[in-house]
Amino acid sequence: MSIAFIFPGQGSQTVGMGAELAQAFATAREVFQEIDDALGQKLFKLMAEGPEGDLTLTENAQPALMAVSLAVTRVLEKEFGVGVDKAAFVAGHSLGEYSALAAAGAITLADTARLLKLRGLAMQRAVAVGEGAMASLIGPRTDLALAEAAAVAGSEVGVCVVANDNNHGNVVISGTKAAVDKAIEKAKELGARAIPLNVSAPFHCPLMQAAADEMEEALARTTIIAPRTPLVANVTAAPVHDPDVIRRLLVEQITGRVRWRESMTWLAGEGGVTRFVEAGAGKVLSGMAKRIAPDSEAVPLNSPADLEAFAKSL
């Protein structure tokens, strides 16, 4: 049995996340305190109690989701003797890539928290509210080719690209509002359903270049070492362990496509992964794993009981 730890991205946040882990394990409380100290912010209180509107802000959601993921992996290691090095690979969806790198020891927890806080702020600053948009194209006829065709139509009036290739039946487009609106019309003509997303900025598209520039400067000042477990990167859908390459890909990821379907296909194929373990809030990636690699097992780790059951299964 070959394992990959996978780490969720924005959208998986909920008020109350991490609270059960903190109640059960001192190790989890230590993680949350370290992140609070690094940010000079009572982030865990916001995670546990809300308000939801503040938690959903990109600058808070990104480090908060990482916090839960790292609480899960550190509890697994310290309380159950199951380290991330038991896995063949790690991967993370968008901001989850930072969680994966922190869990694999490539970036310190404090640096990861600060990077994600900045990443959220930089993404928000890059495009004025209301100028950009994102939409999820869904349905059995939705594939990458359909989404690309919709994006080409949208590009006639502005920036529009495929932002997230999540799985067959779920592809996200991003760009200027007028362009995304036109792409939605085209997608519907081609047989897809389209849902405008309630996001504060158009992520993973060229409009994020200013954010990429900010992150390039910040990453240049950050110590990154080779992860204990290879990372399958969003923008290449291939394994990487060289720190300089990781640094470059984290910059490219801001404006580039999240190639999640391809990443999971590679992991289940060439990577030989038979068990995907989702470390952190929610079950979004577990659902995607079952659709992309139906012969594999997908295990979400949210609660103390989940962690105990997983450790016993090894």
Side-chain angles (χ1 to χ4, degrees), residues 175-214:
T176 56
K177 187 174 186 314
V180 170
D181 286 345
K182 184 164 184 179
I184 286 173
E185 292 176 15
K186 182 65 174 179
K188 289 178 178 176
E189 287 176 20
L190 296 172
R193 288 193 295 135
I195 301 173
L197 299 179
N198 182 22
V199 293
S200 56
F203 306 134
H204 299 293
C205 84
L207 296 173
M208 290 285 106
Q209 186 57 52
D213 293 342
E214 281 197 63

Side-chain angles (χ1 to χ4, degrees), residues 73-134:
T73 57
R74 289 209 177 166
V75 167
L76 271 180
E77 184 167 16
K78 291 192 176 182
E79 308 292 337
F80 299 102
V82 180
V84 171
D85 53 1
K86 299 271 191 193
F89 300 97
V90 295
H93 192 284
S94 190
L95 82 88
E97 195 154 81
Y98 287 79
S99 306
L101 287 165
I107 311 175
T108 68
L109 181 58
D111 280 348
T112 306
R114 287 188 286 262
L115 285 169
L116 285 173
K117 184 77 172 179
L118 174 63
R119 186 176 182 268
L121 288 167
M123 287 174 139
Q124 190 63 67
R125 284 193 288 259
V127 179
V129 174
E131 289 185 8
M134 298 181 77

Side-chain angles (χ1 to χ4, degrees), residues 23-304:
Q23 188 172 12
F25 302 109
T27 299
R29 295 193 293 274
E30 289 166 8
V31 168
F32 297 139
Q33 187 61 56
E34 187 175 345
I35 291 171
D36 278 4
D37 291 345
L39 298 179
Q41 175 185 2
K42 293 182 178 178
L43 184 64
F44 178 66
K45 186 173 189 294
L46 175 60
M47 292 158 55
E49 301 174 10
E52 185 177 4
D54 289 350
L55 179 61
T56 303
L57 290 173
T58 302
E59 64 178 277
N60 294 324
Q62 294 199 24
L65 285 162
M66 182 275 296
V68 179
S69 290
L70 268 291
V72 166
T73 57
R74 289 209 177 166
V75 167
L76 271 180
E77 184 167 16
K78 291 192 176 182
E79 308 292 337
F80 299 102
V82 180
V84 171
D85 53 1
K86 299 271 191 193
F89 300 97
V90 295
H93 192 284
S94 190
L95 82 88
E97 195 154 81
Y98 287 79
S99 306
L101 287 165
I107 311 175
T108 68
L109 181 58
D111 280 348
T112 306
R114 287 188 286 262
L115 285 169
L116 285 173
K117 184 77 172 179
L118 174 63
R119 186 176 182 268
L121 288 167
M123 287 174 139
Q124 190 63 67
R125 284 193 288 259
V127 179
V129 174
E131 289 185 8
M134 298 181 77
S136 182
L137 309 182
I138 60 175
R141 295 179 63 182
T142 301
D143 58 11
L144 182 58
L146 183 151
E148 292 276 23
V152 167
S155 295
E156 294 173 6
V157 296
V159 172
C160 189
V161 299
V162 173
N164 299 2
D165 180 14
N166 288 328
N167 56 255
H168 185 90
N170 179 359
V171 185
V172 176
I173 56 173
S174 179
T176 56
K177 187 174 186 314
V180 170
D181 286 345
K182 184 164 184 179
I184 286 173
E185 292 176 15
K186 182 65 174 179
K188 289 178 178 176
E189 287 176 20
L190 296 172
R193 288 193 295 135
I195 301 173
L197 299 179
N198 182 22
V199 293
S200 56
F203 306 134
H204 299 293
C205 84
L207 296 173
M208 290 285 106
Q209 186 57 52
D213 293 342
E214 281 197 63
M215 290 307 296
E216 183 173 22
E217 290 183 18
L219 286 160
R221 300 189 300 267
T222 302
T223 298
I224 300 178
I225 64 173
R228 295 194 303 270
T229 305
L231 171 80
V232 174
N234 282 187
V235 297
T236 61
V240 59
H241 44 74
D242 180 84
D244 290 334
V245 177
I246 288 170
R247 189 178 276 107
R248 174 173 59 80
L249 293 178
L250 288 174
V251 175
E252 292 180 11
Q253 185 224 60
I254 300 286
T255 57
R257 180 181 302 174
V258 176
R259 295 169 60 183
W260 193 252
R261 176 185 56 82
E262 293 175 75
S263 297
M264 296 291 285
T265 299
W266 187 92
L267 284 164
E270 289 182 57
V273 171
T274 55
R275 197 177 199 191
F276 292 97
V277 181
E278 182 174 7
K283 303 178 181 180
V284 171
L285 297 186
S286 297
M288 290 183 189
K290 290 173 183 174
R291 288 187 285 274
I292 298 166
D295 293 334
S296 65
E297 182 185 2
V299 183
L301 301 183
N302 299 132
S303 69

